[in-house]
Amino acid sequence: MAELEEKVPDAAQPKKEQRPVITRRALCVGLGGTAALLGLGAVRYAGSAPLVRPPGGQDEDALVSACIRCEKCYEVCPRGVIAPAHLEDGILNMRTPVMDFSANWCDWCTEENGGTPLCVASCPTEALKTGSTPETGALGLAELNQDLCLAYRLIGCRFCYDACEYEAMALDENNRPYVLNDQCNGCGACESVCVSLQNGSISAGATERAIVVRPLEA
Amino acid sequence: MNTKRLRTIIPLAVIGVIAVGFATHVGVGTLSAIGWQDISLLCPLGALMTMIATKTMIPRAVISVVIAIALILLFARAFCGWICPVPVVSKIRGVFSKKTSNTDMTGTGVLPADENPLVKAAKGSEAADAPAPLSADEQAALSGCGHSCSSCAEKRATFDSRHVILGGSLLSAAVFGFPVFCLICPIGLTFATIVLVMRLFAFGDVAWGVILVPTLLLAEVVFFRKWCSKFCPISALMSLVGKANRTFVPAIDNAKCRESAQGTSCEACAAVCPQGINVRHPEAGMSFSECTKCRACVEACPTRAITMPFLPKKAAPSTVIVEDDETVPAA
Ligand code: SF4
Ligand code: SF4
Ligand code: SF4
Ligand code: SF4
Ligand code: SF4
Ligand code: SF4
């Protein structure tokens, strides 16, 4: 190189000024991208409804702040009850973990992992915080919609009552189930077994089951 | 099997393993947090953003950043060349346009031959019967071009748009308190697409996301053809840390190189590099911190003069010093 510079004595001169920190064009593109990111960030203030989250994810603000949407928690759940939140749940929440009790429910991994929630253990960002138990960490609260519930049509159903392992459901004098709010931890067992949607005439127009777990903050 | 095929097959295999892992609940995670069960290597950018957004030190995130830095020091941007699914996904561009590009998406690529002063110089001297000594113009071209053309200026600037966007990613995480970039990260969107499609077929989980996520991903790779070299903040992070990379840097055996051994111009290595690195004349192209260790230069060299040694060999005094241009003292 030294050789070349001797032959072209002034090659070194322009070189110095031609090594800009950044070109104007690159800076503009970069700032454009930054502006887009800042614009997108504003979805934080667009307002989003709280969702039913996996154990340890009940502090909505903390979860949304920390979660990098890595999909690990939904993968490890042995019962497959964690799903990615949909666009319908807000852009901010999209792909963050929400509970899906359509086929199964959460027992804080008692059966599969001795009570240590696998989702919490595997969340690398601590978006799901440790320390949640069935007794202390309610995921939500079951809500029974009497208009949709078969038992309230006197069809005689008590699947949800039988499914609840936390003694959070009782039967009234007509054998109709109801939720004991202070006992319910939102595990979703009741929702996972509810058959109301399978009954066409009663559920006509219904989009959800007669008993669903609602987020606590809602 | 040639490297180019291998560099498509490996990312596809990674996608396959992750998809199977997802279906079987084994806990390998995605590339955003790859690992085994509760051991994960977080994406370094995600790790930084989540810590900035929550304003807390997260042990697994700190460890991930440290390991990621170590890996980048060892391999520079090899992630881009060998593992990242985005360049493979971008091959879908072929469906939209017949034009084949001379980059592999990961880099700035080389200039078209007729605009490339290096290739011109090479052609010029090949035209002459005897390997004529290079003219002053060609010398200038080879030593880094005396003209001010924007693409050259861009190549030699210390920072480019990616670095600004990296700053913007960290800033937006700080301002809004969540990892904003994760919403549009094409790597995350690739795996989100797979997960959503798998859920669609496994559980009939129909949602707008099944359409939106892949659309966004395709838009990013189709409309932002230069995503990797102009936008990707992960690439920016790797190029910054990669400035200190000294291992597996392509090195020329001057006894074999046409240019140094025979005095003929060649530039095959420069022409083929998807990152716009000029291995023969490093000061004329992008910095070696952009090297994806793709081995294209190694394979393109007509005399097999290029190797990628684990450690740089001490250059003999009379040879062209092949070094990161950061360390070339300003004259
Ligand atoms: S605690 Fe276990 S069962 Fe419950 S959501 Fe987490 S991984 Fe699934
Ligand atoms: S494992 Fe943690 S960071 Fe990853 S998607 Fe689940 S909650 Fe978010
Ligand atoms: S009422 Fe339903 S959600 Fe509540 S604890 Fe019982 S089964 Fe779980
Ligand atoms: S399972 Fe559903 S329909 Fe049956 S009693 Fe419970 S809420 Fe009503
Ligand atoms: S620049 Fe970014 S998107 Fe492109 S290959 Fe590298 S990490 Fe992947
Ligand atoms: S210098 Fe060689 S190995 Fe590195 S990116 Fe360019 S062609 Fe690939």
Side-chain angles (χ1 to χ4, degrees):
Chain A
M1 223 182 85
E3 251 177 280
L4 298 181
E5 272 164 14
E6 269 165 40
K7 284 180 190 164
V8 192
D10 51 1
Q13 206 45 44
K15 199 177 160 187
K16 208 171 183 178
E17 46 196 74
Q18 269 175 14
R19 195 175 164 85
V21 176
I22 184 164
T23 59
R24 184 187 301 255
R25 214 180 105 125
L27 186 65
C28 289
V29 172
L31 289 178
T34 300
L37 283 172
L38 290 175
L40 187 58
V43 299
R44 178 96 206 207
Y45 303 115
S48 56
L51 300 168
V52 181
R53 303 293 193 176
Q58 278 62 49
D59 180 345
E60 280 285 325
D61 279 345
L63 179 123
V64 164
S65 288
C67 177
I68 60 163
R69 287 97 173 136
C70 74
E71 278 131 32
K72 189 136 192 179
C73 53
Y74 11 127
E75 179 183 345
V76 294
C77 177
R79 298 179 162 207
V81 294
I82 310 181
H86 293 152
L87 180 65
E88 293 83 342
D89 300 315
I91 297 174
L92 178 63
N93 285 325
M94 198 172 169
R95 290 163 56 213
T96 55
V98 290
M99 299 308 267
D100 169 7
F101 295 130
S102 54
N104 215 327
W105 55 286
C106 170
D107 69 347
W108 279 255
C109 286
T110 307
E111 201 182 310
E112 285 87 359
N113 198 35
T116 307
L118 286 166
C119 52
V120 178
S122 63
C123 174
T125 62
E126 296 178 10
L128 305 177
K129 297 205 166 49
T130 50
S132 176
T133 64
E135 290 72 38
T136 61
L139 311 179
L141 179 65
E143 188 183 279
L144 190 149
N145 181 341
Q146 300 184 351
D147 293 340
L148 296 176
C149 175
L150 306 183
Y152 286 81
R153 304 294 180 98
L154 300 176
I155 296 180
C157 169
R158 44 176 265 187
F159 280 119
C160 54
Y161 171 81
D162 292 334
C164 182
E165 293 197 359
Y166 301 104
E167 284 159 18
M169 295 205 80
L171 297 176
D172 69 6
E173 65 289 353
N174 290 322
N175 272 341
R176 295 178 302 197
Y178 62 97
V179 180
L180 302 171
N181 287 0
D182 50 349
Q183 282 288 100
C184 173
N185 60 19
C187 74
C190 51
E191 181 179 337
S192 71
V193 297
C194 180
V195 291
S196 69
L197 278 185
Q198 270 120 282
N199 186 306
S201 64
I202 289 182
S203 64
T207 53
E208 53 181 18
R209 298 180 184 185
I211 190 163
V212 275
V213 178
R214 303 267 182 230
L216 285 178
E217 290 174 39
Chain B
M1 195 182 313
N2 67 20
T3 330
K4 211 171 165 196
R5 286 261 299 283
L6 212 55
R7 293 199 301 112
T8 306
I9 290 167
I10 291 177
L12 288 175
V14 169
I15 292 177
V17 167
I18 287 169
V20 170
F22 187 83
T24 54
H25 300 289
V26 292
V28 291
T30 62
L31 280 184
S32 308
I34 193 94
W36 185 253
Q37 305 279 338
D38 44 2
I39 302 167
S40 303
L41 179 63
L42 272 176
C43 157
L45 180 62
L48 290 175
M49 287 192 295
T50 186
M51 288 197 285
I52 290 174
T54 56
K55 300 185 181 62
T56 36
M57 291 285 270
I58 300 166
R60 270 183 277 190
V62 176
I63 296 169
S64 296
V65 171
V66 171
I67 295 176
I69 288 177
L71 288 173
I72 301 167
L73 285 178
L74 260 182
F75 301 110
R77 279 182 61 200
F79 173 81
C80 298
W82 293 87
I83 297 169
C84 185
V86 176
V88 177
V89 172
S90 78
K91 289 189 195 295
I92 200 136
R93 283 194 309 226
V95 177
F96 297 93
S97 90
K98 291 273 168 298
K99 213 171 81 188
T100 46
S101 108
N102 54 354
T103 89
D104 69 348
M105 165 102 188
T106 59
T108 54
V110 287
L111 296 165
D114 50 344
E115 282 173 36
N116 189 337
L118 303 166
V119 174
K120 252 196 280 185
K123 285 221 182 89
S125 46
E126 253 163 32
D129 278 342
L134 303 174
S135 74
D137 255 11
E138 289 161 359
Q139 294 282 10
L142 292 175
S143 70
C145 175
H147 321 289
S148 52
C149 106
S150 73
S151 103
C152 277
E154 231 158 89
K155 282 187 179 187
R156 266 183 271 113
T158 315
F159 300 108
D160 57 58
S161 43
R162 287 171 306 166
H163 300 100
V164 181
I165 291 175
L166 171 63
S169 304
L170 300 178
L171 178 73
S172 58
V175 171
F176 299 103
F178 78 101
V180 182
F181 177 74
C182 291
L183 294 184
I184 53 156
C185 171
I187 303 175
L189 291 177
T190 303
F191 291 103
T193 301
I194 292 164
V195 166
L196 288 172
V197 168
M198 284 171 76
R199 286 186 60 82
L200 178 68
F201 287 109
F203 310 109
D205 187 358
V206 185
W208 278 110
V210 183
I211 297 164
L212 180 89
V213 168
T215 308
L216 199 58
L217 174 64
L218 287 186
E220 278 168 21
V221 299
V222 173
F223 296 121
F224 297 95
R225 303 181 65 87
K226 303 241 158 135
W227 172 269
C228 291
S229 54
K230 295 265 191 294
F231 299 97
C232 183
I234 307 170
S235 149
L237 197 67
M238 288 188 278
S239 90
L240 286 181
V241 179
K243 288 196 193 297
N245 164 252
R246 292 291 175 278
T247 43
F248 306 109
V249 176
I252 295 177
D253 178 352
N254 285 314
K256 287 189 191 162
C257 172
R258 269 200 198 171
E259 218 172 273
S260 49
Q262 301 163 20
T264 3
S265 202
C266 168
E267 301 295 340
C269 53
V272 82
C273 177
Q275 302 306 318
I277 297 169
N278 184 332
V279 184
R280 178 71 275 180
H281 303 281
E283 66 290 341
M286 297 291 282
S287 147
F288 272 113
S289 61
E290 304 299 337
C291 178
T292 59
K293 313 296 180 198
C294 72
R295 299 185 61 82
C297 53
V298 176
E299 283 163 12
C301 177
T303 59
R304 300 247 161 266
I306 305 179
T307 51
M308 290 174 53
F310 174 58
L311 285 173
K313 297 195 180 70
K314 281 271 169 289
S318 65
T319 60
V320 180
I321 301 160
V322 179
E323 237 183 325
D324 187 337
D325 64 353
E326 286 311 291
T327 59
V328 174

